[in-house]
Amino acid sequence: MASIHDLDELRATFLRFFASKNHLVHPSASLKSDDPTLMFNVAGMQQFKPQFQGAPARFEGFEGEWPRVATSQKCMRAGGKDSDIENVGRTRRHHTFFEMLGNFSFGDYFKAEAAAWAWEFLTDPAWLGLDPDRLWVTVFEDDDEAWDIWTQQVGVPVSRMSRWGEDQNFWPANAVKDGRSGPCGPCSEIFYDRGPEYGSPDETGPNTGRGDRFMEIWNLVFTQFDLEDGELHPLPMKNIDTGMGFERLASVVTGATDAYATELFQPTIRRLVAASGVPYRDLESVPHRIVADHVRSVTMCIADGILPANDGAGYVVKMLIRRAARQAWQMGVRRPVLFELVAGVAESMGGAYPNVRGAAGRIAAIVRAEESQFLETLGAGIERVKDVLDGLGDEVLAGEVAFDLWQTYGFPLDLTVEMAAERGVVVDREGYARAREEARTVSRAGGGKATMFAAVDVLAEVAAAHAPSRFVGYESEAADATVVALVAEAGAVEAAGEGDAVQLVLDVTPCYAEGGGQVGDAAKVAWDGGAAIVQQTVKGPQGLVVHRAQVARGTLRVGQRVRITVDPARRETRKHHTATHLLHAALRRVVGDHVAQAGSLVAPERLRFDVSHGAPITPEQLHEVETIVNGWVQADLPVGARVVPIDEARAAGAMMLFGEKYGAEVRMITIGEPTASPSIELCGGTHVGRTGEIGPVLVTAEEAASAGVRRIEALAGRAALAHVQQLRDAVGATARALGAKPDEVEGRVGKLQAELKAAQREVAGLRDKLAAAQAQGAQEVAEIGGLRVASLALDGLDAAALRNAADTLMQRSGAELVVVGSGTLLVVKAAASARARGAQAGQVVKALAQRGGGGGGGRPDMAQAGVRDAAGLQAALAAVPEVVAQAVQG
């Protein structure tokens, strides 16, 4: 096996090669991203964005300008949209932290040099000396230039070349298809053939089959276009951005099965084997691989100053520690062990990054503290997740449930996702993100001192010292209570003054803690000489109810007797919650018994209800559901709540929601008489006493929430009434503007639409007549390079009229090639005879547009472009003789 010194030399060799090509060897940027939209540096080019956008290629600490640069960049992809963390350890290709070797050109060299140098570095015995017969190249399907360079200049046999679409060989992938904007371009990828022993029968070359035979090792991106409104315009400065994963290159050069088998990971894996007594067996040893990957990532992040935290990049570090700790736990290690593995990372990475070796002791201490803290709750968290999954009646775990697991047990989403995936259950990540963001929003409303995440451990200590909070909110909306604990950002405090944000724990509370989809209550807390406002109520550890509050006046102290009163908005929340139950029952009647709740949000101003269903719910179905629900409301059915044995609830046919853990006794909500009840559900939320209290219920939206899940938005009570009033006012205003009665609005709007379409057709016809009239007196045809060519500047035409004008001019003049322009638009039409002589419309219009400061292109027979301004149009038309002559000659 190659030593780590050999791998350090491999990295250095890459940089020396490009230094010999007059590249500046620039140090890696920190993993911590300066881009506020990104948590980490995710690509080699990220630190050079200003240069790619035209800034001078000057770099701090280096004299002069350097349009050529080479780096070995530390990168991290975990926790974001580009993360494939579920695949880490399970495949031979995925890692959270990786190094990206790259060479870059800012308007200097382009495709020919990039391709030639890549091939030289890989195959020349003076450098890597890889067997060229094992290298394959893919290019973008329309990039004939790159194809010719690879086959004719570099000498790659056509049999080892292939063309692919923009999903594979364009950057960003599917940029044109997805309607993106900005710099982009085709790319060429170099693959290494590892041999049939790594492949699958359906693998015939790069990007085929299920196997790992053909490994992409280098991606050469040719940034040559600016994408705008679906059209590619040539960039004035063409750039090169290449990336070669160091881990993949290391496995190829050393002949290892993958990077985990190299000295990049083996020092860590060997220590883990010694600590656990579990041998390492390649892909079978997924826990070893995940732990080794995550400890390396955590070590590199902490070395760059990204410490475990409750948000942002720091949260990703914390998540990786906890994810690795769970894997070690599964291997039978019941003590802190990750911190011992930091030394293995320092051994692997310390040569290239001395700061890692120098900080190894401090990094290990940070990891040990975080790991030890998590291990205190890991066992309970694993059991809680198992209980949730055991009680799951569906294949989707609600995001709110997953978030509650994190908030209550500190159990990271990725661990929940992993445990769920082991049972074939998918976690609603979007729902988790929404729940987390909603909690953040409420927290931020506390004046900047809110402590949503920082106090979890302190609250655990409070829970250990005190009895669970007694909830009296089913019976009352106010209660006298004693302050049990106050937790500020820095930890537990004895008192909080005016303006302070605290987490307040009482012995008794009428406030409902967020759960089961229902938002936590807001409330007012009063005492002699003071008051506080509760913005949110949440569940704390071991039965605590936590009030996130801000002191409005006076001083609040531990032991204080207070009066807490729930915000009246809860009455609207109750209406929406009972309406949710009715909505669930009606959906099962109309859509089918397969419908099951997959998440919900119950708030004072609205309700959101996610259901498992694989197709859109039709408007007709929604109308029927709405009618049924309002019928139950008008029937003023009683709503009863009873605590019953779980077996009795099952016998009554009560709906049991997945993600909920039920004990021996459960709270059962029955709407209507027990013998004829439209809805029986187990629920801990607050509800109205009779359905008549709800008022109108309106379904306002239906959409896809995720795969196999539909989302319904609805309003009840005051919110529904306000919505109807708003719609009525809008219809009335529209009717008055149209001079019609409200019931005539639809017909009047339809008539206006028809009139508008007729007017648009008339305008288009007038434009065509205008174009024909302008072209009538200007049919002079010139002969250029043996072709009959007509060119003409017209006034006031849009693109469609200009194309029609080109057709008319060609028909009336007998020209073989026509160039017409109007405003900043340019159209070229080429007859078959012109195309046969080399005058392709797309190429001609592109060249003309460049003379006018613009760009464009199109088909060989008809093409369109844009120029800078009126002067640009004149310049483009003046260049017609030269451009056409060059096209015919060339």
Side-chain angles (χ1 to χ4, degrees), residues 379-524:
I382 288 176
E383 291 304 313
R384 174 57 178 149
V385 175
K386 287 181 179 178
D387 289 340
V388 169
L389 295 173
D390 286 340
L392 195 63
D394 201 350
E395 296 180 354
V396 179
L397 179 66
E400 293 90 343
V401 175
F403 179 70
D404 182 64
L405 289 168
W406 179 84
Q407 185 169 246
T408 304
Y409 296 90
F411 211 74
L413 173 64
D414 282 86
L415 298 195
T416 303
V417 168
E418 191 165 293
M419 291 184 68
E422 292 167 0
R423 301 202 190 186
V425 174
V426 175
V427 177
D428 178 12
R429 286 180 174 272
E430 293 182 1
Y432 179 94
R434 288 189 298 271
R436 183 174 169 86
E437 184 56 34
E438 287 164 4
R440 283 177 178 158
T441 300
V442 171
S443 179
R444 283 194 293 265
K449 294 184 179 179
T451 57
M452 175 180 169
F453 302 118
V456 172
D457 300 322
V458 178
L459 290 171
E461 295 175 3
V462 173
H466 297 276
S469 307
R470 184 163 61 91
F471 176 60
V472 297
Y474 294 138
E475 302 85 24
S476 174
E477 293 184 351
D480 296 315
T482 300
V483 177
V484 171
L486 295 169
V487 181
E489 188 170 9
V493 296
E494 288 297 311
E498 185 173 329
D500 287 343
V502 292
Q503 300 204 60
L504 166 65
V505 179
L506 304 173
D507 61 340
V508 178
T509 181
C511 292
Y512 181 83
E514 180 176 353
Q518 181 173 328
V519 299
D521 283 330
K524 179 179 179 181

Side-chain angles (χ1 to χ4, degrees), residues 427-772:
V427 177
D428 178 12
R429 286 180 174 272
E430 293 182 1
Y432 179 94
R434 288 189 298 271
R436 183 174 169 86
E437 184 56 34
E438 287 164 4
R440 283 177 178 158
T441 300
V442 171
S443 179
R444 283 194 293 265
K449 294 184 179 179
T451 57
M452 175 180 169
F453 302 118
V456 172
D457 300 322
V458 178
L459 290 171
E461 295 175 3
V462 173
H466 297 276
S469 307
R470 184 163 61 91
F471 176 60
V472 297
Y474 294 138
E475 302 85 24
S476 174
E477 293 184 351
D480 296 315
T482 300
V483 177
V484 171
L486 295 169
V487 181
E489 188 170 9
V493 296
E494 288 297 311
E498 185 173 329
D500 287 343
V502 292
Q503 300 204 60
L504 166 65
V505 179
L506 304 173
D507 61 340
V508 178
T509 181
C511 292
Y512 181 83
E514 180 176 353
Q518 181 173 328
V519 299
D521 283 330
K524 179 179 179 181
V525 181
W527 63 93
D528 289 342
I533 302 300
V534 174
Q535 293 102 3
Q536 169 74 314
T537 306
V538 299
K539 295 177 182 177
Q542 301 177 35
L544 287 185
V545 175
V546 180
H547 308 81
R548 292 182 180 142
Q550 186 172 32
V551 178
R553 59 184 175 85
T555 300
L556 181 61
R557 303 179 186 278
V558 173
Q560 184 100 43
R561 289 293 290 174
V562 299
R563 177 75 173 176
I564 181 169
T565 305
V566 176
D567 190 299
R570 189 222 261 172
R571 297 166 192 168
E572 296 303 309
T573 302
R574 290 189 314 199
K575 295 175 184 178
H576 281 100
H577 203 152
T578 306
T580 301
H581 285 217
L582 295 176
L583 186 63
H584 192 184
L587 283 166
R588 289 174 63 83
R589 286 194 179 189
V590 174
V591 180
D593 289 341
H594 66 281
V595 168
Q597 181 176 334
S600 67
L601 171 67
V602 179
E605 69 280 359
R606 66 189 178 104
L607 72 84
R608 185 189 70 223
F609 192 66
D610 295 347
V611 294
S612 56
H613 185 58
I617 301 173
T618 67
E620 293 76 17
Q621 289 175 317
L622 290 174
H623 289 160
E624 185 177 356
V625 166
E626 198 175 60
T627 299
I628 292 172
V629 169
N630 281 284
W632 287 331
V633 169
Q634 292 166 13
D636 195 27
L637 302 173
V639 180
R642 290 193 304 132
V643 176
V644 300
I646 185 69
D647 290 339
E648 181 180 335
R650 289 194 180 102
M655 290 289 297
M656 298 184 183
L657 306 182
F658 69 86
E660 293 293 329
K661 181 180 179 180
Y662 298 112
E665 292 191 330
V666 292
R667 184 167 182 263
M668 186 169 69
I669 303 297
T670 302
I671 299 177
E673 299 300 330
T675 56
S677 173
S679 172
I680 304 176
E681 289 193 21
L682 303 188
C683 179
T686 59
H687 291 269
V688 299
R690 301 188 71 88
T691 58
E693 299 173 31
I694 297 174
V697 179
L698 301 175
V699 175
T700 59
E702 190 276 344
E703 62 184 3
S706 59
V709 177
R710 305 301 299 181
R711 170 162 296 162
I712 294 173
E713 302 267 359
L715 302 173
R718 290 183 180 177
L721 179 61
H723 182 70
V724 170
Q725 291 170 337
Q726 183 181 20
L727 291 177
R728 182 184 62 196
D729 292 344
V731 171
T734 303
R736 287 191 295 274
L738 295 173
K741 296 178 181 178
D743 59 359
E744 298 172 343
V745 166
E746 183 177 3
R748 184 64 62 87
V749 170
K751 182 180 179 182
L752 288 175
Q753 287 178 320
E755 292 173 352
L756 176 61
K757 290 179 181 178
Q760 289 172 333
R761 287 193 296 269
E762 183 177 357
V763 168
L766 291 173
R767 281 193 178 129
D768 289 341
K769 291 179 180 178
L770 175 62

